Amino acid sequence: MTTRKLMKKASKHQEDLAARDFGLAMAGKPSSYRSAPYAVAASPSQARDARKITGLAQPAFAMAIGASPATIRSWEQGQKRPDGVASKMLRLLLRHPKLIKELERDLVLIGGPRSKTA
């Protein structure tokens, strides 16, 4: 078997393992998605719980994670679902709510929000 075929087979095997781990069948689905095809979007309750467990209001939570308050509101109301990195961040915050302090600290270190009166 050629190296190219081995690499393709190994890549397919890794994709299959990832799909199995996340409980999604990959048969017949294209491999190029906006986010990883095996990433599962967080639910509205997970988005709400992640924010509430940190003790922040929607605007402060949005600023800390780099989203808009409207985005947070749409996640919590179920109008949109966070995907990719946002879903993973919400799941991490559910498990480790103190991480929000690190995100807030990073926001302060980079200068915080820009004022409109400059």
Side-chain angles (χ1 to χ4, degrees):
M1 192 174 275
T2 66
T3 304
R4 177 173 267 163
K5 286 182 181 178
L6 282 173
M7 293 299 289
K8 190 173 184 178
K9 190 172 183 175
S11 176
K12 177 66 176 145
H13 180 67
Q14 287 176 327
E15 187 176 301
D16 290 344
L17 287 176
R20 186 199 67 205
D21 290 346
F22 285 91
L24 298 175
M26 292 301 295
K29 292 188 177 183
S31 61
S32 59
Y33 281 105
R34 186 170 146 218
S35 62
Y38 43 82
V40 178
S43 69
S45 64
Q46 286 175 316
R48 186 174 25 265
D49 292 346
R51 180 182 60 80
K52 287 188 175 184
I53 201 168
T54 63
L56 296 176
Q58 285 180 346
F61 185 75
M63 187 179 296
I65 69 166
S68 71
T71 297
I72 303 300
R73 194 168 34 259
S74 67
W75 289 348
E76 291 185 7
Q77 292 174 353
Q79 296 166 345
K80 293 184 181 177
R81 293 186 66 136
D83 60 348
V85 175
S87 280
K88 290 181 181 202
M89 185 182 303
L90 292 173
R91 286 193 178 89
L92 277 172
L93 288 171
L94 280 169
R95 290 186 201 123
H96 309 285
K98 292 181 180 181
L99 287 176
I100 197 73
K101 296 297 180 196
E102 290 293 317
L103 295 171
E104 290 178 315
R105 184 181 64 82
D106 289 346
L107 184 66
V108 170
L109 290 177
I110 62 170
R114 294 186 179 145
S115 68
K116 293 183 180 179
T117 58

